[in-house]
Amino acid sequence: MRAIHRLSRVLALVVLTAATSACTTTGGGYFTPTVSADAANLSPAAASAVADDMVAKLAEHVGPGTGTIVIKPDDSAFGLALEESLRGWGYAVASNRQAPGDNMIPLAYVVDTFKGAVMTRISTPSVELTRSYAMSATGATPTSPLSVMQRVS
């Protein structure tokens, strides 16, 4: 009986280790630059406020001039505001259809609602930024600190 208990503890540890290591992979792992979504359907004013804030924070980790940001073309208010904000901060921006060359930085985003707030995540292969916002008639205001996850290559 004691051997079965030890074996189950070892198996639980192996499963936990495997699950944790899968979450920390870089490159191909869970980062998928072709998946971007604005499920929150933000207003243009809110989308612009959120995009401006997130791009300002992105610039602290992936500076303009370090490469071309490659995003999936998107006609959502947030997708358009994000592209405009990136260009405003001095980033070169290309769609994933027109992205030949070196120094390409794939970028994916997800914007969704959760418990009355709008959660926003911007991901590149080297960093992932997440923050929640409260919406108003004139835009959006951050309601959480910025969460930063840096990936080591």
Side-chain angles (χ1 to χ4, degrees):
M1 193 61 140
R2 188 168 224 197
I4 293 174
H5 181 40
R6 264 194 193 162
L7 182 59
S8 66
R9 288 178 59 189
V10 168
L11 284 174
L13 182 61
V14 167
V15 168
L16 182 61
T17 302
T20 304
S21 65
C23 291
T24 60
T25 61
T26 59
Y30 59 86
F31 175 72
T32 308
T34 59
V35 177
S36 292
D38 177 4
N41 296 316
L42 301 178
S43 70
S48 182
V50 171
D52 288 347
D53 182 56
M54 292 299 283
V55 171
K57 298 304 181 187
L58 179 67
E60 296 173 9
H61 300 278
V62 180
T66 57
T68 300
I69 300 291
V70 180
I71 58 176
K72 180 180 179 183
D74 187 345
D75 291 332
S76 71
F78 182 77
L80 297 172
L82 179 63
E83 187 171 340
E84 182 179 322
S85 186
L86 286 164
R87 291 183 196 283
W89 272 83
Y91 288 95
V93 179
S95 73
N96 62 352
R97 293 187 193 124
Q98 65 186 77
D102 297 329
N103 296 328
M104 296 295 148
I105 304 168
L107 183 139
Y109 62 86
V110 175
V111 182
D112 206 351
T113 56
F114 180 73
K115 293 187 177 183
V118 172
M119 301 296 293
T120 305
R121 182 182 71 205
I122 292 180
S123 303
T124 71
S126 64
V127 68
E128 185 169 300
L129 308 175
T130 306
R131 186 175 237 180
S132 66
Y133 296 85
M135 298 299 114
S136 69
T138 59
T141 307
T143 58
S144 72
L146 182 71
S147 171
V148 179
M149 182 182 76
Q150 291 185 323
R151 297 183 181 102
V152 180
S153 54

